[in-house]
Amino acid sequence: SFLAMKKRLLSIALPVVACFGFMLTSCGSDDDGNGIPALPTPEYESSSAKYEMSAGSPYRSIEFTSSGNYVIIANSASDYSYAPAAAVAEKQTATSKTVASGMFRKKEADRVSRAYFNGIYYGTYTKTGDNQYNLQGFGTITVNTGGDNAYSLTVTTSSGSQTLAATKAVADKDSDRTNALCRTWNFDKINLKVWINGSKKYDRTVPANKINDLLEEWGDDGWEEDEIPRQVIFTKSGTYMVLYGLNDYSNNSLDISSWRWENESKGIIRYSWDIGDFDDDDSGLITTSFSGKNMTIWEEYSEEEDGDNYREKITWYFSEAK
């Protein structure tokens, strides 16, 4: 029956992503002749930097993004994202969720959740002076420059003030295409199309908060609120972060990982959930493109089963966060 085919499609779609990865493409034609969008410079572009802290610091890294977000990883967060490849591979074969993997999905058990995200501090910041920053919900930081990539950061929280040695991570991803990508994006809506033996059986678009409508129609039980992507952030130091949860104050969780250009002229990115390691099963390829202030992402899965061909295309729509 068609219902049986739908459920079978769900059971096979996820493992395929480990082999095929996914790609991003444009929903419009506002790019210039080289496919590079003309997006405005983010407000805090000149402050964008990732500081890697010296041994003995309570923090592993402190990063300021071009869109005005900060990401601080404490040393106590050592298990938050460095899950072994086997753990992620288990996720890719043990679940039957349709849109459950790839660049925006990670094994739920490895996702960091709620207050300060168990060792990851995240929020917005404002610049209050030369190299001085006020971090919402955290405290203040002053960046003191030195020679030969030597820095010290004066970190002041409710617990007191301390000055910590650091170096600035390499941020050589500086190009028009990188400048377009590296900012904060809000997840707006999703489209799901399904073909069986070349015949389209399903085509529906819903806003982000209705994603479970798609999942439930295709035999899935749906996701909890803190499993639904809300924002994605890319930085020039190679960080990308996915924030989950449909409201700003509770039921939020996040994942942090890394990206690099695989073929920048074609907009192809390689990402990995195993930070810094792009050569294992946690890695995949995407292709980026833009339209105006929007980014559109499509993921495609294919599989042959009992002589039938199943193909599923998932399109994610993002807009630049204000």
Side-chain angles (χ1 to χ4, degrees):
S1 68
F2 182 57
L3 178 60
M5 287 193 290
K6 289 199 298 183
K7 291 184 176 180
R8 182 166 55 188
L9 175 64
L10 287 173
S11 70
I12 63 177
L14 188 54
V16 176
V17 72
C19 302
F20 285 87
F22 66 81
M23 303 182 72
L24 297 141
T25 189
S26 172
C27 63
S29 57
D30 292 346
D31 298 354
D32 66 19
N34 296 317
I36 302 173
L39 288 167
T41 301
E43 181 178 1
Y44 292 102
E45 175 66 28
S46 63
S47 299
S48 176
K50 179 179 181 180
Y51 299 94
E52 296 175 333
M53 313 307 292
S54 299
S57 170
Y59 311 108
R60 184 180 304 145
S61 63
I62 295 176
E63 184 162 11
F64 299 100
T65 78
S66 60
S67 296
N69 299 104
Y70 69 86
V71 181
I72 300 175
I73 302 176
N75 274 323
S76 61
S78 59
D79 294 328
Y80 81 98
S81 62
Y82 289 83
V88 178
E90 178 184 359
K91 169 203 63 176
Q92 292 174 336
T93 57
T95 179
S96 63
K97 292 179 180 178
T98 304
V99 195
S101 178
M103 195 171 194
F104 299 109
R105 302 297 303 161
K106 190 179 179 184
K107 185 177 180 181
E108 184 176 0
D110 295 327
R111 185 172 302 119
V112 184
S113 61
R114 295 178 176 80
Y116 290 116
F117 308 109
N118 296 333
I120 304 175
Y121 302 83
Y122 166 75
T124 59
Y125 72 87
T126 55
K127 192 170 183 178
T128 57
D130 289 341
N131 298 318
Q132 296 178 340
Y133 305 91
N134 181 38
L135 284 61
Q136 175 207 24
F138 180 81
T140 63
I141 292 179
T142 300
V143 178
N144 310 295
T145 59
D148 297 326
N149 198 28
Y151 294 82
S152 63
L153 275 62
T154 301
V155 181
T156 303
T157 68
S158 58
S159 300
S161 181
Q162 53 189 324
T163 299
L164 307 168
T167 58
K168 185 183 288 189
V170 174
D172 56 358
K173 303 176 179 67
D174 188 11
S175 64
D176 289 343
R177 197 182 298 277
T178 303
N179 291 338
L181 176 72
C182 290
R183 60 192 67 226
T184 302
W185 300 94
N186 289 331
F187 172 39
D188 292 332
K189 59 183 179 178
I190 188 171
N191 171 268
L192 173 63
K193 294 182 177 70
V194 180
W195 294 262
I196 300 177
N197 294 327
S199 177
K200 185 187 291 184
K201 301 296 184 181
Y202 189 79
D203 184 351
R204 185 176 178 189
T205 302
V206 298
N209 62 353
K210 299 293 185 181
I211 190 171
N212 280 337
D213 289 0
L214 301 182
L215 298 175
E216 291 167 359
E217 285 187 0
W218 281 84
D220 193 273
D221 293 333
W223 293 344
E224 298 296 328
E225 182 176 307
D226 64 352
E227 296 180 297
I228 299 174
R230 178 158 59 88
Q231 281 187 337
V232 61
I233 297 172
F234 293 88
T235 76
K236 291 183 179 179
S237 60
T239 298
Y240 83 85
M241 186 189 82
V242 183
L243 180 66
Y244 303 87
L246 292 180
N247 73 60
D248 294 333
Y249 305 106
S250 63
N251 293 324
N252 291 334
S253 60
L254 60 78
D255 285 331
I256 295 177
S257 199
S258 51
W259 72 276
R260 73 182 187 196
W261 288 116
E262 184 86 356
N263 186 327
E264 183 174 357
S265 64
K266 295 182 178 180
I268 300 174
I269 285 175
R270 181 172 293 278
Y271 70 91
S272 177
W273 284 115
D274 190 1
I275 292 180
D277 186 351
F278 294 94
D279 298 321
D280 59 26
D281 290 340
D282 299 344
S283 177
L285 292 175
I286 63 174
T287 301
T288 60
S289 184
F290 308 85
S291 176
K293 294 184 177 181
N294 301 304
M295 177 171 67
T296 302
I297 302 164
W298 63 263
E299 312 176 42
E300 189 163 331
Y301 310 85
S302 298
E303 180 74 352
E304 294 284 342
E305 174 102 353
D306 297 332
D308 292 322
N309 176 267
Y310 301 90
R311 185 162 70 93
E312 179 180 288
K313 182 176 180 180
I314 302 154
T315 304
W316 306 78
Y317 298 86
F318 289 85
S319 58
E320 183 183 8
K322 304 301 183 184

